[in-house]
């Protein structure tokens, strides 16, 4: 190992974690440059799952200890709608005030020998002339990424819907999901404690509802500006849940959450971490975790760097190890984000079904797993069960290229199609011919899942919905696609949910080994039926 001179732009959690680990792992020379004053930060509590805490504990146990000592812990998730409450336990979360987390990291980084420069502007081009490695850790609004957008291959896409980030001077005792109606449409909030008398209170509003209300565009206002009208609106909508507690502001306004991705995380000796090069929607609570874990991996790679080693290869190894993990989190975060930003699609669900849908919104958890964590889920609504009773229909091919279901001699007759508009159009021609030949037959479309991306799913939704209306389909089934298993489950879950929201009778198609996933989507109201394929 040879000492490396490192400049880090940004003293957020990722930048500070990197600085202290670089000092501990090899005594590297580290300077951290932060344009804001020490202690200045936006936001309220930062949340971690027990799994992320376990991973971080291996790299920096004292950081996790400081987080737990200064924050809050809980196991329960609660859903409130229409005056009813349902609760699930066994989940395991912790949260800490963002300022407290930064203070702890500041202290540990300085004790390790890192040099922290606050109220200091830093330019990556200048720093590259003085340091071996420059790290962009300057967050979602990264000026470094903007200056090197072409080199990083950076993309910034605004997400659907709006959110406003408040605090509240009361500690809720669980991760609490609130759903209320307003004059402009449904509104949701996720609330969690981060101290003995404080909670984060994050409100989400759909884009149409936001436009209908005529709220101010928060991004156009100066830093630190608080949207008093937004706070009054949220306080009124959620008054019965606040119980007299006050909402707190800190640069709180309506914003869109950007989906940031980068084709490359490094260019020459400049490398990015955390939100500077990738984001994941806050509803999965992974933004800070991803930045900290990026820092752990980058510090490890730089600590193993030897004099004469190819620095490009070192930075490439960091990206190669982290990118698949980040991509999978971004995929499930997309599914979670779209559920929150389309609250009208689940407005009719009872609280028990809504709880199950929220707990499984990324397409990865199943009713069986949740029941092992919390057997009491069997009592919510009409009862959650791990698997269906009786035979599950199985798809079978016919001689004319269509498919049918085992044990259902009366159909439906299914025409398979690939997940794109042209293929759906071709399937439509076949379905129209079948409708003419068999006017009383039960007909359906089997569509493969696309990649888990908003634009692809949205286009497919429109083409399938239009076809279903023109042919009077009896069922639309969503089958496995070509993505990796986790990504495929996420895409199938979202596609089925959205087709159901359009009023279509849907079936979730899975392999026999994934029947627990399929049944979970039936129980959570995403699909009307579950079918299996042959192995």
């Amino acid at each position: 190992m040879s000492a490396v001179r490192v400049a880090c732009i940004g003293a957020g959690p990722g930048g500070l974690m990197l600085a202290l680990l670089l000092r501990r792992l090899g005594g590297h020379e580290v300077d951290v440059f932060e344009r804001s004053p020490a202690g200045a930060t936006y936001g309220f509590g930062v949340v971690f799952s027990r799994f992320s805490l376990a991973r971080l504990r291996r790299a920096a146990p004292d950081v996790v200890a400081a987080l737990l000592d200064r924050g809050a812990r809980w196991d329960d998730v609660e859903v409130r709608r229409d005056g009813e409450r349902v609760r699930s336990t066994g989940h395991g979360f912790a949260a800490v005030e963002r300022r407290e987390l930064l203070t702890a990291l500041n202290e540990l980084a300085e004790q390790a020998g890192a040099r922290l420069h606050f109220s200091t502007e830093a330019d990556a081009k200048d720093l590259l002339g003085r340091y071996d490695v420059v790290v962009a850790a300057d967050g979602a609004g990264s000026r470094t990424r903007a200056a090197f957008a072409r080199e990083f291959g950076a993309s910034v896409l605004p997400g659907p819907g709006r959110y406003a980030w408040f605090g509240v001077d009361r500690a809720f005792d669980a991760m609490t999901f609130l759903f209320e109606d307003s004059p402009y449409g449904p509104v949701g909030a996720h609330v969690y404690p981060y101290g003995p008398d404080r909670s984060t209170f994050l409100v989400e509003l759909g884009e149409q509802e936001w436009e209908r209300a005529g709220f101010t565009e928060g991004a156009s206002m100066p830093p630190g500006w608080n949207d008093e009208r937004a706070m009054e609106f949220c306080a009124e909508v959620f008054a019965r849940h606040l119980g007299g507690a006050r909402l707190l502001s800190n640069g709180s306004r309506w914003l869109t959450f950007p989906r940031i991705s980068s084709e490359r995380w490094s260019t020459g000796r400049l490398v990015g971490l955390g939100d500077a090069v990738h984001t994941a929607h806050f509803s999965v609570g992974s933004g800070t975790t991803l930045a900290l874990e990026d820092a752990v991996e980058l510090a490890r790679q730089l600590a193993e760097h030897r004099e004469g080693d190819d620095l490009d290869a070192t930075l490439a190894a960091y990206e190669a190890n982290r990118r698949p993990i980040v991509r999978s989190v971004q995929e499930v975060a997309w599914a979670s984000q779209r559920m929150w930003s389309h609250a009208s699609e689940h407005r009719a669900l009872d609280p028990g079904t809504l709880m199950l849908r929220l707990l499984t919104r990324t397409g990865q958890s199943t009713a069986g797993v949740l029941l092992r964590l919390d057997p009491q889920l069997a009592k919510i609504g009409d009862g959650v069960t791990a698997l269906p009773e009786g035979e599950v229909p199985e798809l079978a091919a016919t001689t004319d290229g269509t498919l049918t279901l085992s044990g259902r001699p009366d159909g439906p007759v299914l025409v398979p199609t690939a997940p794109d508009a042209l293929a759906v159009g071709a399937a439509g021609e076949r379905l129209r011919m079948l409708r003419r030949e068999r006017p009383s037959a039960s007909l359906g479309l089997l569509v493969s899942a696309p990649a888990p991306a908003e634009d692809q799913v949205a286009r497919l939704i429109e083409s399938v919905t239009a076809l279903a209306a023109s042919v009077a389909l009896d069922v639309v089934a969503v089958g496995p696609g070509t993505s990796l298993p986790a990504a495929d489950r996420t895409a199938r879950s979202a596609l089925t949910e959205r087709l159901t929201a359009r009023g279509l009778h849907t079936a979730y198609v899975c392999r026999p080994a994934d029947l627990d996933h399929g049944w979970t989507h039936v129980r959570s109201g995403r699909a009307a039926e579950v079918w299996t394929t042959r192995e």
Side-chain angles (χ1 to χ4, degrees):
M1 176 181 61
S2 60
V4 178
R5 293 172 301 157
V6 179
C8 183
I9 303 173
L16 292 171
M17 176 68 98
L18 177 68
L20 75 89
L21 290 178
L22 284 174
R23 291 295 301 164
R24 288 178 179 178
L25 293 175
H28 300 289
E29 181 181 339
V30 185
D31 287 280
V32 180
F33 300 93
E34 171 57 54
R35 67 185 182 188
S36 300
T41 185
Y42 296 108
F44 296 92
V46 180
V47 67
F48 299 87
S49 73
R50 62 175 154 212
F51 304 109
S52 59
L53 290 177
R55 291 191 297 270
L56 292 172
R57 188 178 281 112
R58 290 193 289 270
D62 49 351
V63 171
V64 174
L67 186 160
L68 296 176
D69 288 344
R70 302 180 189 215
R73 283 181 275 184
W74 68 95
D75 285 322
D76 291 1
V77 173
E78 182 170 284
V79 170
R80 303 182 189 179
R81 166 170 277 173
D82 297 332
E84 295 185 56
R85 300 184 182 192
V86 293
R87 185 172 280 226
S88 172
T89 194
H91 302 284
F93 293 99
V96 66
E97 184 182 13
R98 182 176 172 85
R99 185 177 285 105
E100 289 280 5
L101 175 61
L102 291 175
T103 298
L105 288 168
N106 280 345
E107 293 170 356
L108 292 169
E110 286 187 321
Q111 290 168 13
R115 296 185 292 263
L116 310 183
H117 310 274
F118 291 97
S119 302
T120 303
E121 294 283 354
D123 178 78
K125 293 179 181 178
D126 172 63
L127 294 175
L128 285 167
R130 298 187 282 125
Y131 292 85
D132 299 314
V133 177
V134 176
V135 181
D138 46 349
S142 172
R143 296 182 181 182
T144 310
R145 182 192 64 246
F148 289 83
R150 181 179 58 81
E151 290 85 349
F152 281 118
S155 169
V156 182
L157 299 173
R162 302 287 171 141
Y163 74 94
W165 198 358
F166 302 100
V168 60
D169 60 354
R170 171 194 160 195
F172 283 64
D173 66 350
M175 175 71 77
T176 307
F177 298 131
L178 309 176
F179 298 91
E180 290 289 345
D181 293 318
S182 78
Y184 314 112
V187 189
H190 11 151
V191 187
Y192 56 86
Y194 62 84
D197 59 356
R198 291 288 188 272
S199 298
T200 293
F201 203 98
L202 219 160
V203 181
E204 299 220 42
L205 190 63
E207 190 71 17
Q208 291 183 347
E209 290 80 5
W210 180 83
E211 291 177 350
R212 198 176 296 135
F215 283 119
T216 300
E217 170 57 73
S220 66
M221 305 304 288
W225 176 78
N226 293 300
D227 189 334
E228 297 297 333
R229 185 182 168 218
M231 187 158 66
E232 291 172 5
F233 165 78
C234 294
E236 181 178 351
V237 168
F238 296 106
R240 63 174 167 174
H241 305 287
L242 292 170
R246 296 179 302 117
L247 289 183
L248 310 172
S249 59
N250 181 6
S252 305
R253 78 282 298 278
W254 294 114
L255 297 168
T256 59
F257 186 86
R259 165 73 184 251
I260 295 172
S261 57
S262 304
E263 295 175 6
R264 296 165 293 281
W265 291 4
S266 63
T267 172
R269 293 179 290 112
L270 174 64
V271 61
L273 65 76
D275 285 353
V277 286
H278 56 72
T279 57
H281 192 250
F282 48 76
S283 63
V284 294
S286 292
T288 300
T289 296
L290 289 177
L292 293 172
E293 292 180 351
D294 280 359
V296 170
E297 178 62 22
L298 181 55
R300 186 182 73 83
Q301 292 292 339
L302 289 173
E304 294 177 358
H305 183 77
R306 300 290 185 271
E307 187 172 357
D309 287 353
D310 183 352
L311 188 57
D312 287 350
T314 297
L315 300 182
Y318 149 69
E319 179 178 345
N321 288 341
R322 287 295 299 159
R323 183 179 283 277
I325 298 168
V326 169
R327 182 187 298 116
S328 67
V329 174
Q330 285 186 310
E331 288 167 351
V332 299
W334 160 74
S336 179
Q337 178 180 13
R338 72 146 316 278
M339 180 176 175
W340 278 100
S341 58
H342 295 78
S344 60
E345 293 185 0
H346 52 74
R347 176 64 189 88
L349 298 180
D350 65 88
T353 304
L354 179 58
M355 166 69 85
L356 185 59
R357 183 176 290 193
L358 282 164
L359 294 178
T360 61
R361 64 189 181 277
T362 64
Q364 306 307 311
S365 294
T366 67
V369 170
L370 295 171
L371 281 166
R372 288 195 290 274
L373 291 173
D374 180 12
Q376 294 302 308
L377 282 174
K379 298 180 181 179
I380 69 168
D382 59 354
V384 175
T385 56
L387 290 172
E389 296 180 1
E391 293 292 326
V392 176
E394 180 184 272
L395 282 175
T398 64
T399 56
D400 63 359
T402 60
L403 298 112
T404 187
L405 291 176
S406 61
R408 292 195 185 178
D410 296 330
V413 177
L414 297 154
V415 174
T417 184
D420 63 71
L422 288 176
V424 171
E429 292 303 313
R430 179 76 188 280
L431 284 162
R432 290 184 184 90
M433 181 184 71
L434 287 170
R435 180 62 75 197
R436 290 191 296 270
E437 294 174 353
R438 313 178 203 178
S440 61
S442 175
L443 296 182
L445 179 74
L446 172 64
V447 59
S448 300
E454 181 65 24
D455 55 346
Q456 295 184 55
V457 171
R459 287 196 298 269
L460 191 56
I461 291 285
E462 295 305 322
S463 58
V464 170
T465 302
L467 174 60
S470 67
V471 183
L473 294 179
D474 298 285
V475 62
V476 175
V478 178
T482 58
S483 301
L484 293 173
D488 181 58
R489 285 194 295 266
T490 297
R492 260 185 294 161
S493 171
L495 180 57
T496 308
E497 179 179 306
R498 295 182 70 178
L499 288 169
T500 298
R502 292 289 184 96
L504 300 178
H505 185 87
T506 58
Y508 184 95
V509 182
C510 58
R511 298 176 179 87
D514 282 338
L515 183 57
D516 53 346
H517 283 279
W519 180 240
T520 297
H521 296 318
V522 174
R523 298 297 302 164
S524 60
R526 292 189 181 93
E529 301 182 63
V530 58
W531 303 338
T532 62
T533 61
R534 291 180 179 172
E535 291 285 10

